[in-house]
Amino acid sequence: MQRILITGATGNIGKHVVSGLKALGKEVRIGQRNRSDDPEATFLDLSDPSSYDNALLGISRLFLLRPPAISNTSKTLNVLIDKAYSQGIEHIVFVSVSGAESNSLVPHHAVEQKLIKSGRSYTILRPGFFSQNLESAYRMDILNDSCLYLPSGRGQINFIDTRDIAAVAVQALVNPEVHARRAYTLAGKDALTFYDVANLLSLELNRQIKYREASAFSYFIHLLRQGDPIMKAFIQTILHVGIRSGQANIISSTASELLARETITMGEYVHENREKWLC
Ligand SMILES: NC(=O)c1ccc[n+]([C@@H]2O[C@H](COP(=O)([O-])OP(=O)(O)OC[C@H]3O[C@@H](n4cnc5c(N)ncnc54)[C@H](OP(=O)(O)O)[C@@H]3O)[C@@H](O)[C@H]2O)c1
């Protein structure tokens, strides 16, 4: 039986990959940095290559996620990829980010290059901005200041729900022969500005949520004050400023075609999760 190692299993995408695979009766192994007695779990600190060999034992497929705090992927994730292929792993599904193929500033770029040049079997997922950022990166601004504070101007974003990304990942893990050496840009159907998102939140929560446009510099400082490490704040600033020039306005029906259904809209997501932004 195939045993699939899942990284980032407690995160926005990974938790749905785990449940999606289990629903299909697949055997999963959860690679986590907290040591645990759970027989499904194995110790794997992605920032520490000495933990890789043991975590890869008996694994045939790998779901690979770059944790946001890891910026040097050449010395971490790429080492894991080398070890995985040399230990006989047959397929790797990697969560990248839209545009990473032509943007060497984002840490995912080096990982994509590694996979593409490996000559082995992989699937690269390139999602746009997650709807779930509203419950993670933007949540405290919504709760504390009733605002979205971002340097994204009036740029449009085709948000994608992480449940849809996970569902595509599950397909690629279960049927690698169909998805081998493919890279999928994943985006939702609707193109929304942050003004539109603020309106959706305001209507759902019955209180006014404003979008306040930030400068790149003030947003960077805002992230540092929130406690983000400097590289993470830098990458987040680059990605959010890129929205202004249309980098997140991604016209792609790949997700809905692969899933054979409509993708989950921002409106649906906000409605289902409204309690997350109630004061
Ligand atoms: N947010 C967006 O709009 C967006 C868009 C496109 C692409 N992306 C990319 O998507 C990825 C983030 O995905 P996500 O939101 O699903 O993740 P997430 O919710 O931020 O969760 C990160 C996961 O990584 C684990 N982790 C953190 N450090 C680790 C370490 N040193 N070793 C092992 N595991 C570690 C965490 O486990 P713990 O339980 O131990 O913390 C958690 O399970 C990033 O690469 C990001 O660039 C994001």
Side-chain angles (χ1 to χ4, degrees), residues 8 10-13 33 44-46 65-67 96 108 128 130 133:
T10 55
N12 290 308
I13 304 171
R33 58 183 164 165
L44 173 63
D45 181 347
L46 287 167
L65 183 117
R66 178 204 68 106
S96 184
H108 315 72
F130 300 169
N133 289 344

Side-chain angles (χ1 to χ4, degrees), residues 228-244:
D228 279 2
I230 193 160
M231 274 311 289
K232 182 180 173 192
F234 177 66
I235 292 161
Q236 285 304 311
T237 303
I238 289 178
L239 291 171
H240 282 86
V241 168
I243 292 174
R244 291 183 193 168

Side-chain angles (χ1 to χ4, degrees), residues 96 189 199 218 222 247:
S96 184
K189 187 176 59 171
N199 280 340
S218 58
H222 183 69
Q247 284 176 19

